[in-house]
Amino acid sequence: MNKHLLRGLTLLIIGAITTTYSLNLMQADSNFYKVIMTAGVLCFGGGVIMTMNSLFRKIDRSTLQRYRRDQQRIK
């Protein structure tokens, strides 16, 4: 696992936990849930973006390596 994927998965888990916790606070009629839910949604969104970025970087890297390998064979 590379650092981008690890950070993305960590943010996804933190975002899911904080959002679930804020939903429990909302059921208890606490006004503090709004701040926690906002942070959870931002963490979750950041985690999705970082995870997707990691996958795109991996695809781009393998494509670039394949292209360079093919160029070396031609020469």
Side-chain angles (χ1 to χ4, degrees):
M1 265 201 239
N2 62 11
K3 65 181 178 181
H4 299 287
L5 181 61
L6 188 61
R7 288 178 188 166
L9 292 176
T10 304
L11 281 174
L12 278 171
I13 292 169
I14 290 172
I17 290 171
T18 55
T19 304
T20 304
Y21 179 66
S22 68
L23 288 172
N24 290 336
L25 286 177
M26 186 171 61
Q27 295 293 328
D29 292 331
S30 175
N31 287 332
F32 191 60
Y33 80 92
K34 296 174 186 176
V35 174
I36 296 175
M37 186 173 285
T38 302
V41 168
L42 289 175
C43 285
F44 193 83
V48 168
I49 290 172
M50 289 186 88
T51 304
M52 293 300 292
N53 184 31
S54 169
L55 295 174
F56 289 145
R57 287 171 55 100
K58 184 175 182 178
I59 292 169
D60 186 45
R61 183 172 185 270
S62 65
T63 304
L64 186 60
Q65 286 177 338
R66 190 178 329 127
Y67 174 75
R68 288 179 180 166
R69 194 176 337 121
D70 291 343
Q71 290 298 322
Q72 291 241 339
R73 288 182 187 165
I74 292 173
K75 291 181 180 181

